[in-house]
């Protein structure tokens, strides 16, 4: 998959977008926690904050945010460019880079969480040593900052993970990672609930415990609204991370059900969802391969035989009435010596193309190509009561097709023989390798009649048995005489077609 196919038009823009969303999540979270602790918490709401205290708090917050955001941006930019170096350089990732890119959201959020853990320190020093405030509000502030950091970290992780999904899809290239390094569906949803809803409710409970007799309506309103908004946002992003891939898969499954096997879904997740996406792609690839094999198999043995082979496998056969049509190129040896190889191949392909088209039009199948000849069968593997009439019509039509082709291929001339009777049809060979074919006297007789047909102007001969069984088709055939058949004591009475 190329970068443009994954939705990444500009890798540099992806880097800045990711860093922007990471920084914005932490900035908004920090501002929300600061405003709550300085102005809206039960401790702050219960007493009026002196102006010098407010100035000290704002100055401390501004300095700490400037230092932490600056250092965090520098570290994040370096780590992100290192993780996406393969994308920025326009090349495929190495195996180690594939693993690293999946860990990028956690690698980016981890320093921010560390700063959140350190954030209470300067405010504790300010409260206890500079402003000489009691230790209890400092403890409450410490807990509030830690809880705010957990919520902000969860939101930042989900935003970064969602932003980098196109890079995940490009790095994984349709396959899941060698080792699962990602949150599964259940842990992801449970963690989202805990950080998006559980932590805000815990903050409310702690506010009630520490409030005493102070008016806590405003703090409760702020925490409730914040919990609703942040909880919904975290759960929405977590749900989309699961629902979007499943929606894509549902559309892909619908296309497969409609017969479109040229479909694949991007693997953009390193956990359970990614395994499901990769499994779907492997399933469709297997269906494509099976379709190609069936098509190739059908081209080799014929569609009817291919279907019969899929329904019934193993060695064995059955006796049935069928007709055989044999066609053989005249003067093939001299043809190969006289013409260039390309012309010989073109002539044979023209012959076999006419054979396949004519025989299939009459419901027969080409059992095999034998050098410069072909054996065609009517009445097997599918029962056809009028198999003789079909074979006779095919013989007449094939001769006329070859006459027309002779304009383009002057050396294209062939004898055609038709016979019918009882044959053995089935899978012949070994258990490891067998083929469906027909064996019997009609096959031999058709081949021998072909040799005699080459000596006649009409180029077509059919046995009397075939003409007799042909019904109405017999009116197009006239007696041609008796012809000796090798291996038989008596000659065979044969007929040749009459053309308008």
């Amino acid at each position: 998959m190329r970068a443009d196919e994954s939705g990444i038009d500009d890798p540099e823009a992806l880097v800045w977008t990711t860093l922007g969303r990471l920084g914005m999540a932490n900035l908004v979270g920090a501002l929300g926690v600061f405003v709550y602790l300085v102005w809206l918490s039960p401790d702050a709401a219960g007493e009026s904050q002196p102006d010098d205290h407010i100035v000290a708090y704002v100055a401390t917050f501004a300095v700490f945010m400037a230092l932490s955001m600056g250092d965090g941006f520098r570290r994040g930019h370096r780590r992100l460019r290192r993780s996406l170096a393969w994308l920025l350089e326009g090349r495929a990732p190495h195996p180690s880079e594939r693993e690293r890119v999946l860990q990028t959201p956690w690698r980016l959020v981890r320093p921010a969480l560390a700063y959140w853990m350190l954030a209470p320190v300067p405010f504790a020093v300010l409260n206890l040593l500079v402003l000489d405030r009691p230790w209890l509000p400092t403890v409450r502030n410490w807990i509030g900052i830690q809880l705010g950091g957990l919520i902000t970290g969860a939101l930042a992780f989900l935003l970064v993970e969602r932003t980098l999904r196109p890079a995940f899809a490009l790095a994984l290239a349709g396959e899941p990672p060698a080792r699962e390094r990602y949150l599964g569906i259940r842990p992801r949803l449970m963690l989202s609930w805990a950080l998006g809803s559980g932590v805000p409710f815990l903050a409310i409970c702690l506010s009630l415990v520490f409030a005493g007799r102070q008016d806590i309506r405003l703090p409760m309103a702020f925490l409730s609204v914040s919990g609703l908004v942040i909880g919904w946002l975290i759960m929405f992003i977590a749900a989309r991370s699961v629902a979007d891939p499943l929606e894509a898969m549902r559309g892909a499954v619908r296309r497969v059900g409609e017969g479109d096997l040229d479909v694949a879904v991007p693997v953009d997740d390193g956990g359970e969802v990614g395994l499901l996406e990769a499994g779907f792609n492997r399933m469709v690839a297997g269906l494509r391969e099976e379709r190609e094999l069936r098509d190739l198999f059908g081209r080799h043995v014929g569609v009817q035989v291919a279907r019969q082979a899929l329904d019934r496998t193993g060695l064995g056969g059955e006796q049935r009435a069928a007709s055989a049509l044999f066609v053989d190129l005249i003067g093939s040896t001299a043809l190969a010596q006289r013409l260039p190889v390309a012309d010989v191949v073109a002539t044979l392909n023209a012959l076999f193309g006419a054979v396949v088209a004519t025989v299939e039009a009459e419901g027969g199948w080409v059992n095999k190509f034998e050098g410069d000849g072909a054996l065609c069968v009517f009445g097997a593997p599918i029962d056809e009561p009028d198999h003789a009439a079909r074979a006779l019509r095919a013989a007449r039509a094939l001769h006329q097709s070859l006459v027309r082709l002779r304009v383009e291929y002057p050396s294209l001339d062939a004898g055609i023989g038709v016979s019918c009777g009882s044959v053995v049809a089935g899978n012949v060979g070994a258990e490891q390798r067998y083929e469906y074919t027909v064996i019997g006297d009609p096959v031999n007789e058709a081949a021998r009649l072909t040799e005699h047909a080459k000596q006649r102007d009409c180029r077509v001969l059919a046995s009397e048995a075939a003409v007799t069984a042909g019904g109405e088709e017999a009116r197009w055939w006239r007696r041609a005489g008796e012809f000796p058949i090798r291996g038989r004591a008596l000659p065979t009475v044969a007929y040749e077609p009459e053309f308008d």
Side-chain angles (χ1 to χ4, degrees):
M1 182 186 295
R2 301 190 307 271
D4 55 351
E5 294 176 341
S6 65
I8 304 177
D9 298 325
D10 184 358
E12 286 288 350
L14 178 65
V15 171
W16 292 107
T17 300
T18 304
L19 292 175
R21 292 180 178 179
L22 175 65
M24 184 59 64
N26 281 280
L27 179 60
V28 171
L31 286 173
V33 172
F34 180 76
V35 169
Y36 173 76
L37 292 178
V38 174
W39 284 290
L40 301 178
S41 67
D43 178 63
E47 59 183 34
S48 178
Q49 295 285 350
D51 292 340
D52 57 339
H53 287 193
I54 297 296
V55 171
Y57 287 140
V58 171
T60 303
F61 175 79
V63 171
F64 183 82
M65 287 299 297
L67 294 175
S68 60
M69 292 288 287
D71 185 64
F73 177 84
R74 181 180 59 83
R75 291 175 181 269
H77 185 262
R78 185 175 67 250
R79 293 185 178 187
L80 186 56
R81 291 191 69 87
R82 185 184 305 145
S83 296
L84 300 181
W86 54 274
L87 180 61
L88 296 170
E89 295 170 7
R91 58 176 175 84
H94 302 306
S96 59
E97 292 174 323
R98 293 180 61 194
E99 295 293 325
R100 181 185 296 169
V101 73
L102 292 175
Q103 301 174 26
T104 302
W106 169 240
R107 288 175 178 269
L108 294 179
V109 172
R110 187 170 54 193
L113 288 176
Y115 281 116
W116 276 97
M117 298 302 104
L118 291 175
V121 175
F123 289 98
V125 172
L126 177 66
N127 278 331
L128 297 177
L129 300 182
V130 178
L131 302 180
D132 194 24
R133 298 196 65 195
W135 62 269
L136 185 59
T138 302
V139 172
R140 289 199 295 262
N141 291 344
W142 192 295
I143 296 175
I145 293 174
Q146 303 301 305
L147 294 180
L150 290 176
I151 298 176
T152 303
L155 180 60
F157 178 89
L158 292 174
L159 286 173
V160 170
E161 183 266 346
R162 183 165 182 81
T163 305
L164 291 177
R165 273 187 176 267
F168 295 165
L170 191 61
L172 294 173
E175 290 295 332
R179 290 177 294 171
E180 188 170 330
R181 293 178 175 271
Y182 214 62
L183 286 176
I185 296 176
R186 184 179 302 171
R188 187 185 307 181
L189 294 179
M190 292 301 296
L191 185 61
S192 298
W193 173 86
L195 296 177
S197 299
V199 171
F201 279 118
L202 177 61
I204 292 175
C205 293
L206 291 176
S207 296
L208 292 174
V209 171
F210 291 124
R213 296 183 178 181
Q214 298 172 2
D215 186 0
I216 58 172
R217 286 177 296 179
L218 184 59
M220 292 301 99
F222 179 84
L223 290 175
S224 299
V225 173
S226 299
L228 288 174
V229 173
I230 297 175
W232 176 86
L233 184 59
I234 291 178
M235 289 300 297
F236 175 77
I237 298 175
R240 287 289 299 273
S241 69
V242 177
D244 286 353
L246 295 182
E247 182 67 24
M249 285 193 58
R250 186 175 71 172
V253 169
R254 182 177 63 252
R255 290 175 58 184
V256 171
E258 295 171 351
D260 180 10
L261 298 183
D262 297 321
V263 60
V265 295
V267 180
D268 56 2
D269 186 275
E272 297 161 337
V273 175
L275 293 175
L276 183 63
E277 292 168 332
F280 173 84
N281 290 339
R282 285 194 294 268
M283 179 196 72
V284 177
L287 292 176
R288 280 198 302 268
E289 182 180 3
E290 181 181 353
R291 180 183 62 183
E292 293 170 358
L293 289 175
R294 287 195 181 198
D295 180 66
L296 182 62
F297 184 40
R299 292 176 185 271
H300 275 278
V301 302
V303 177
Q304 295 175 354
V305 176
R307 291 174 179 170
Q308 195 255 9
L310 291 172
D311 294 336
R312 183 179 62 190
T313 59
L315 298 175
E318 58 183 345
Q319 192 167 12
R320 62 169 64 211
S323 294
L325 183 153
F326 199 87
V327 56
D328 192 46
L329 188 67
I330 298 175
S332 59
T333 303
L335 186 68
Q337 295 175 349
R338 188 175 72 254
L339 297 177
V341 174
D343 292 343
V344 174
V345 173
T347 301
L348 288 174
N349 287 340
L351 168 64
F352 294 145
V355 170
V356 171
T358 304
V359 171
E360 289 187 350
E362 289 294 341
W365 64 282
V366 180
N367 180 208
K368 62 185 69 175
F369 295 112
E370 298 180 343
D372 55 358
L375 171 62
C376 311
V377 180
F378 298 81
I382 298 176
D383 287 324
E384 293 170 336
D386 59 340
H387 56 83
R390 292 172 180 266
L392 293 173
R393 284 197 301 269
R396 291 193 297 111
L398 178 58
H399 174 71
Q400 292 174 323
S401 295
L402 297 182
V403 170
R404 290 191 294 269
L405 285 171
R406 205 170 297 153
V407 176
E408 183 177 357
Y409 303 94
S411 301
L412 182 54
D413 196 6
I416 302 170
V418 180
S419 180
C420 83
S422 179
V423 300
V424 175
N427 295 325
V428 177
E431 286 292 345
Q432 296 81 7
R433 174 71 171 86
Y434 53 80
E435 66 176 2
Y436 186 89
T437 189
V438 293
I439 302 172
D441 186 66
V443 177
N444 298 327
E445 187 175 54
R448 302 295 180 261
L449 287 174
T450 299
E451 296 303 319
H452 290 291
K454 293 179 180 180
Q455 310 303 321
R456 300 183 67 82
D457 294 338
C458 188
R459 298 289 195 255
V460 183
L461 286 176
S463 68
E464 184 177 38
V467 174
T468 301
E472 290 293 326
E473 175 62 22
R475 64 191 177 92
W476 296 103
W477 296 78
R478 66 171 183 269
R479 183 186 173 98
E482 296 181 355
F483 299 86
I485 300 297
R486 188 175 58 191
R488 284 188 177 183
L490 299 176
T492 292
V493 177
Y495 288 69
E496 60 186 5
E498 292 181 341
F499 297 103
D500 294 337

